[in-house]
Amino acid sequence: MDHKRFLATLSGEERKSLTALSDGPGLSKLFQHVVCMGLVVWLILAGLPGWPLLMLPLGILQVFLFTLLHETVHRTPFQSVWLNRLVGRVCSFILILAADWFRYFHLAHHRFTQEPDRDPELAEPKPETIRQYVLHVSGLGVWRGQITALIRNAVWANRDDFVPGRGKAKVMREARTMVAVYLALLAGSVWAGSTVLLWTWIVPLLLGQPFLRLYLLAEHGRCAFVANMFENTRTTFTNRFVRWLAWNMPYHAEHHAYPAVPYHRLPAFHARTREHLLETEDGYARFNRVYTKALL
């Protein structure tokens, strides 16, 4: 059974229950994430012996805000629209990934998942050699792409096909604002002779990005180019910590099948869909072992 047929079997009451939004779970989860990041930042600034080692866990916590940004694109982690927008903006700023631009990008990805000529995620092909795999996991391509898109959008009108005409001015204003604030922070840091942002933001982001790349590769890597979300998207079974860190997005086939389901309801939705999933894997380490073995 494909995802469309499955969704047709859900009753109105089931749909209402699965898609019910609430601020409570999201705020609780966000508080936990912020406290963890704040604690690590405090230890780094306090000069704890061996503090450079703490930049890695801080970076992982920071880059996985991408999964929260991703959820705010769908307006599902919180019931309040303004809260989704505010949290999304903050995450996008930390990640150097413009929220409005990414929203257009990501919604096009959902609309055309695994369609080679229309899914914008496929503009950068998945690794087909070990060299490509190493470069992909390094995150260098991602940083180049994100920063190039930000500057391009700030300097002239956006030309991406997935950004509608009415959205191009908004994307340009967003990019210009972000670039201006980044330049102000850089100038302020140089003026003050401070390296705080370097050790608590920039370097951690660089260190954490490979872990996000390893995680994201499992979502669609080597999945079929078909319309069925139970087949073109992979759900990865993992431990509770990774599900917490990634806002339950390891249930990715479920998310693609029914994007209106908020992150905290995905486990319940998974219980209903599991027998229909055609692409699953037991853990991210196993997925990447299998992936690299195929490349060899």
Side-chain angles (χ1 to χ4, degrees):
M1 182 184 297
D2 66 19
H3 78 282
K4 291 183 179 178
R5 289 183 181 178
F6 174 80
L7 292 179
T9 68
L10 297 177
S11 68
E13 190 62 32
E14 287 176 311
R15 287 174 179 265
K16 183 178 179 180
S17 174
L18 285 169
T19 60
L21 300 179
S22 173
D23 287 342
L27 286 172
S28 175
K29 170 71 177 63
L30 179 61
F31 177 76
Q32 296 169 33
H33 205 116
V34 170
V35 166
C36 289
M37 288 195 300
L39 177 61
V40 181
V41 168
W42 178 75
L43 292 173
I44 290 174
L45 295 180
L48 184 77
W51 66 264
L53 298 176
L54 295 175
M55 290 191 291
L56 177 58
L58 176 59
I60 292 173
L61 287 167
Q62 288 175 341
V63 296
F64 270 87
L65 287 174
F66 172 84
T67 54
L68 174 55
L69 170 61
H70 159 270
E71 281 298 275
T72 63
V73 161
H74 295 284
R75 307 288 193 254
T76 55
F78 311 102
Q79 183 178 26
S80 303
V81 175
W82 70 268
L83 195 51
N84 283 301
R85 289 176 176 168
L86 174 62
V87 172
R89 294 272 181 213
V90 173
C91 290
S92 77
F93 185 82
I94 293 172
L95 296 167
I96 317 177
L97 176 59
D100 287 332
W101 178 85
F102 177 66
R103 187 167 194 269
Y104 290 126
F105 174 96
H106 186 68
L107 293 182
H109 163 62
H110 267 266
R111 192 175 301 118
F112 307 117
T113 304
Q114 290 292 87
E115 292 187 32
D117 296 327
R118 297 201 287 178
D119 183 349
E121 274 202 7
L122 296 178
E124 181 184 347
K126 299 294 189 293
E128 293 296 337
T129 67
I130 288 296
R131 179 178 179 276
Q132 291 175 358
Y133 176 84
V134 171
L135 287 174
H136 178 85
V137 171
S138 74
L140 295 177
V142 171
W143 291 122
R144 182 178 64 249
Q146 288 183 191
I147 294 172
T148 298
L150 187 66
I151 295 174
R152 184 181 66 239
N153 291 337
V155 173
W156 64 80
N158 179 277
R159 297 178 182 177
D160 293 316
D161 293 339
F162 52 82
V163 178
R166 67 182 184 279
K168 293 187 182 297
K170 179 170 66 172
V171 164
M172 184 171 63
R173 287 194 301 271
E174 173 189 47
R176 288 179 175 177
T177 300
M178 291 179 69
V179 169
V181 177
Y182 290 140
L183 290 176
L185 287 174
L186 175 61
S189 295
V190 172
W191 179 267
S194 172
T195 58
V196 169
L197 293 180
L198 181 66
W199 305 126
T200 62
W201 180 24
I202 304 303
V203 173
L205 275 184
L206 294 174
L207 293 175
Q209 186 65 233
F211 292 86
L212 182 63
R213 293 301 104 200
L214 292 169
Y215 161 83
L216 291 176
L217 187 59
E219 293 182 344
H220 302 283
R222 296 196 177 278
C223 288
F225 297 106
V226 296
N228 179 15
M229 300 299 180
F230 289 156
E231 188 175 0
N232 66 20
T233 305
R234 179 178 290 102
T235 282
T236 304
F237 304 121
T238 186
N239 58 64
R240 183 177 298 180
F241 172 73
V242 175
R243 290 195 298 271
W244 173 87
L245 182 67
W247 290 72
N248 276 339
M249 282 302 108
Y251 295 121
H252 209 61
E254 295 85 342
H255 166 70
H256 265 262
Y258 203 176
V261 177
Y263 83 95
H264 60 276
R265 296 294 294 153
L266 282 175
F269 189 44
H270 168 72
R272 290 290 312 276
T273 61
R274 181 164 183 165
E275 63 181 298
H276 304 291
L277 302 180
L278 298 175
E279 278 289 352
T280 63
E281 187 55 89
D282 293 323
Y284 290 94
R286 175 178 166 79
F287 167 79
N288 280 278
R289 284 199 304 270
V290 172
Y291 194 102
T292 52
K293 184 177 180 181
L295 297 182
L296 292 171

